[in-house]
Amino acid sequence: MKLKIFILSIALFGLNSLFSQENSISGKISNNAEALPYVNIYLKKTKIGVASDENGYYELKNIPKGNYTLIISSIGYKTKSVKISVLNNQKIIRNFSLSEDNSLDEIVISGTLKPVSKTNSPVPVEVYSKTFFKKNPTPSIFESLQNVNGVRPQLNCNVCNTGDIHINGLEGPYTFVLIDGMPIVSGLSTVYGLTGIPQALIERVEVVKGPASTLYGSEAVGGIINIITKKPSNSPKLTTDTFASSWGEINTDIGLRYKLSEKTQGLLGINYFNYQNRIDNNNDGFTDLTLQNRISLFNKINIERESNKVFTIAGRYVYEDRWGGEMDWEREFRGSDIKYGESIYTNRWETFGTYQLPTSENINFQFSANGHYQDSFYGTDAYDAEQLIAFGQFVYNKQIKEKHDLLVGIAYRYTFYDDNTFATIDKNGAINQPSKTHLPGVFLQDEISLNKRKKLLLGARWDYNSAHGNIFSPRINYKWNSRDNSNIFRASIGNGFRVANIFTEDHAALTGAREVEFNGELDPETSWNANLNYVKKINTENSFITLDASAFYTYFDNRILPDYETDSNKIIYANLNGHSVSQGISLNADILFTSGLAINAGATLMDVSVTENNIKTKQLLTESFSGVWSVSYKFNNDFTVDYTGNLYGPMRLPLLGENDTRAEYSPWYSVQNIQLIKKFTNSWEIYGGVKNLLNFTPAANSINSANNPFDVGVDTEANPELAFDPSYVYASNQGIRAFIGLRYTLF
């Protein structure tokens, strides 16, 4: 009898297994307007999961009978959770629609060097998706950042239009730029590193404001900008985006996903930008916009390994030929005093990647390397430079019980720099001596969960600079959130440091009539920063609102600033004999209405000052107020209107002396744009609009003595206000213009 019962049980078990093999859940994922590819669909607390295909379809197979929670999630969309019951021999068809998540509570890495949700991060990280940047299409991510609160692209020269990124009033060299978490933009390429990144490959941009030297080392004093590129496995087969403007600008972005083998996938990106139209609307005899010809190639490869270990490697190559100057300048005048022109040839290569070691512990080896070569003339002054940087680090992440999440790392950076200026000549002025800097370091971080609603982050870093010795950077962060995450409070205090290289960072040192002078040896800059951040989420029947407010304070010792005012014939670089302070408050508001209206607005009020010899002055080229906004509305899910803009308060500008006729302060100004997007299918969309609606441009006399760029017949020591000077610049001379573009996506 027992034998019969045993046989019958085996038979029933087998029959049940047979039926369960036919249980499935399938359907389509969309966002009401279009299918969503590569959405994650899985049954909670099981190993059953899949990603939707190119057309948004999914199917979960071989589901045992039972009650489950089905999770549907995708970056940029609100995660959906659905209870579902599965019976024997049942095929369930369920379609789901996801709504956009403007709060962007997604996975971020910039604040802690490890993946963590934005809400749970003890470090405030601002996240901007590719959708955000499409609201105001630009040829480069450099220009796109003009719509981020507290971040301002600053032009450094009226002639060649090179620039850098200011965060909370701090100049470009204080901003650390990364691609996929790896330091790529070196000092020499600060002015070029953010151009030529194919925007078709950008998934999102993470911004951290305030010192991050504990994790990222030198240069991460003002903040970091981390450009996250798409994963090959989650990318469309082909994306193209081409637009042209009425000024004659042409920009093309191409992204292509390909397979080298079953376990090796790649992503190829190409960016091409061309502008060859000589325009002089302000009638100063100089080009209003630098002529450019740029191509960038980007390739990223992911290799699938056992146990889902990470192995990714990427590379980029950028070539750019740009020039600006007198309207009748020709290539044959390069380096001569016949006609004034600033001509720059740039060759740059980069490679970076991550390899997770085949161990039971979570250990990653991350590396990057880049070479930057510049051949340029600023009038008759040649500037030829070469910079090579190699970087590598091991990062070990270990969860200790439930309360401690430990991160330990060792890092090394080697920097080689050489140019044809006196910066690399020995004290006797006879032998060329390239700069070679070794920078080994170790860092430690412990994220402590005090309870479910409180976190404490402790971190410290030690570096040894071969030229300047030991540098220590500690930090502490605290986070509290309410039970429903509708209220989040963060506080932080940390130290930052930076070793400056004037010629690689400050374009003013290379152009104009001023003589460059160094006053003593330049010591590393140090700073202390405190930051308070409060996030409030409000959900109503018709809207989703996120308010994000911050107060910041940074105190600098040994700060290095260009001194234009002690001697109007010189730019003097020295460690500040005093201190500098950057302080202020900022507020961001994201409002999403169920009607299709979306509003993103922000404002920053700040005071950046320099105190030397007990005299306090406002920092040059720094606004006391800035505001940004983006208003979008969708009609019937296939027609969208985007209205974007910014507003800046007055900035103190560098004058050549008391008799300089130019204004000491810039005016209040605003650059506003409008765009219309028409989507025809899931693959095709056309867009167009008008940039700089108010047609704002700086004063026509921004370039001092534009009619005498070589200072012929002028004693600039006796009459400094008569010297040629293109460094008086705070905004582009490019006025109102129309644009039109076309996007195509093949899933």
Side-chain angles (χ1 to χ4, degrees), residues 90-147:
Q90 185 179 20
K91 295 185 177 180
I92 301 173
I93 299 176
R94 295 288 299 271
N95 299 326
F96 297 100
S97 176
L98 300 183
S99 58
E100 288 190 14
D101 183 5
N102 275 30
S103 67
L104 287 170
D105 185 19
E106 57 193 63
I107 300 300
V108 296
I109 63 171
S110 298
T112 59
L113 260 187
K114 59 186 180 62
V116 62
S117 73
K118 181 184 174 185
T119 296
N120 289 331
S121 173
V123 178
V125 181
E126 298 178 16
V127 185
Y128 298 91
S129 69
K130 55 183 180 293
T131 303
F132 175 85
F133 295 114
K134 284 182 178 179
K135 294 179 180 182
N136 180 29
T138 62
S140 71
I141 194 69
F142 171 80
E143 297 170 62
S144 297
L145 291 170
Q146 65 186 289
N147 289 326

Side-chain angles (χ1 to χ4, degrees), residues 511-585:
T511 186
R514 297 174 186 251
E515 178 186 349
V516 176
E517 181 177 295
F518 290 90
N519 187 356
E521 293 290 331
L522 299 182
D523 295 325
E525 300 178 344
T526 59
S527 67
W528 283 95
N529 170 272
N531 186 286
L532 299 176
N533 174 253
Y534 175 67
V535 178
K536 175 67 177 179
K537 298 182 180 181
I538 306 170
N539 294 336
T540 69
E541 184 178 348
N542 300 314
S543 64
F544 304 93
I545 303 171
T546 301
L547 301 176
D548 191 330
S550 293
F552 57 89
Y553 179 88
T554 305
Y555 182 94
F556 286 91
D557 279 323
N558 292 336
R559 193 170 182 195
I560 301 169
L561 291 171
D563 178 2
Y564 294 87
E565 298 170 304
T566 299
D567 186 333
S568 55
N569 287 293
K570 297 179 180 180
I571 305 175
I572 302 173
Y573 293 92
N575 286 114
L576 190 64
N577 182 22
H579 64 272
S580 175
V581 171
S582 170
Q583 58 187 335
I585 56 175

Side-chain angles (χ1 to χ4, degrees), residues 142-198:
F142 171 80
E143 297 170 62
S144 297
L145 291 170
Q146 65 186 289
N147 289 326
V148 176
N149 186 24
V151 177
R152 184 171 68 87
Q154 163 68 35
L155 293 179
N156 294 327
C157 175
N158 262 312
V159 180
C160 69
N161 291 167
T162 53
D164 55 35
I165 296 293
H166 289 199
I167 295 181
N168 287 343
L170 299 179
E171 292 90 343
Y174 296 92
T175 300
F176 202 38
V177 180
L178 308 102
I179 300 181
D180 289 339
M182 286 292 94
I184 288 299
V185 178
S186 55
L188 186 58
S189 70
T190 298
V191 292
Y192 308 108
L194 285 170
T195 59
I197 299 175

Side-chain angles (χ1 to χ4, degrees), residues 351-608:
T351 184
F352 58 93
T354 299
Y355 178 79
Q356 191 171 5
L357 271 60
T359 63
S360 58
E361 300 291 343
N362 184 7
I363 304 175
N364 287 289
F365 173 63
Q366 301 170 324
F367 64 91
S368 68
N370 62 73
H372 192 99
Y373 309 90
Q374 183 170 322
D375 171 11
S376 50
F377 275 96
Y378 300 88
T380 57
D381 296 328
Y383 176 64
D384 296 322
E386 175 184 2
Q387 186 168 47
L388 301 171
I389 295 181
F391 171 83
Q393 69 179 14
F394 285 93
V395 180
Y396 172 56
N397 189 200
K398 177 73 172 180
Q399 183 75 36
I400 302 176
K401 295 183 178 180
E402 294 183 357
K403 289 194 173 182
H404 295 271
D405 192 348
L406 194 65
L407 191 78
V408 181
I410 58 173
Y412 172 76
R413 182 190 297 188
Y414 170 76
T415 303
F416 171 91
Y417 173 74
D418 190 18
D419 66 19
N420 64 328
T421 74
F422 63 83
T424 55
I425 295 177
D426 70 351
K427 295 181 180 180
N428 298 321
I431 303 174
N432 185 57
Q433 289 188 327
S435 169
K436 299 177 182 178
T437 306
H438 302 271
L439 189 67
V442 296
F443 56 89
L444 173 67
Q445 174 181 277
D446 187 11
E447 186 175 315
I448 306 169
S449 297
L450 302 176
N451 57 41
K452 290 184 178 180
R453 296 162 55 194
K454 298 178 182 178
K455 284 188 177 181
L456 185 66
L457 184 71
L458 304 176
R461 183 186 184 100
W462 170 84
D463 286 275
Y464 180 79
N465 186 288
S466 58
H468 298 283
N470 297 302
I471 303 173
F472 180 67
S473 304
R475 77 163 171 171
I476 180 171
N477 294 74
Y478 172 79
K479 184 186 82 74
W480 170 89
N481 59 270
S482 59
R483 294 182 186 278
D484 60 356
N485 281 327
S486 62
N487 295 278
I488 302 173
F489 173 76
R490 297 179 176 95
S492 67
I493 184 169
N495 171 260
F497 72 92
R498 187 175 74 92
V499 178
N501 189 325
I502 298 303
F503 282 89
T504 67
E505 297 170 355
D506 196 340
H507 179 270
L510 303 171
T511 186
R514 297 174 186 251
E515 178 186 349
V516 176
E517 181 177 295
F518 290 90
N519 187 356
E521 293 290 331
L522 299 182
D523 295 325
E525 300 178 344
T526 59
S527 67
W528 283 95
N529 170 272
N531 186 286
L532 299 176
N533 174 253
Y534 175 67
V535 178
K536 175 67 177 179
K537 298 182 180 181
I538 306 170
N539 294 336
T540 69
E541 184 178 348
N542 300 314
S543 64
F544 304 93
I545 303 171
T546 301
L547 301 176
D548 191 330
S550 293
F552 57 89
Y553 179 88
T554 305
Y555 182 94
F556 286 91
D557 279 323
N558 292 336
R559 193 170 182 195
I560 301 169
L561 291 171
D563 178 2
Y564 294 87
E565 298 170 304
T566 299
D567 186 333
S568 55
N569 287 293
K570 297 179 180 180
I571 305 175
I572 302 173
Y573 293 92
N575 286 114
L576 190 64
N577 182 22
H579 64 272
S580 175
V581 171
S582 170
Q583 58 187 335
I585 56 175
S586 67
L587 175 65
N588 281 314
D590 284 303
I591 308 174
L592 176 64
F593 295 93
T594 55
S595 63
L597 176 65
I599 300 174
N600 175 280
T604 299
L605 183 66
M606 61 185 176
D607 176 27
V608 184

Side-chain angles (χ1 to χ4, degrees), residues 195-198 201 253-254 267-272 294-300 314-319 348-350 352:
T195 59
I197 299 175
L201 304 185
D253 273 322
I254 299 174
L267 188 60
L268 175 66
I270 302 172
N271 169 257
Y272 178 69
R294 179 179 68 243
I295 187 166
S296 173
L297 304 175
F298 179 93
N299 193 39
K300 182 177 182 178
R316 183 168 77 116
Y317 172 74
V318 181
Y319 173 78
R348 177 176 175 82
W349 61 266
E350 306 162 349
F352 58 93

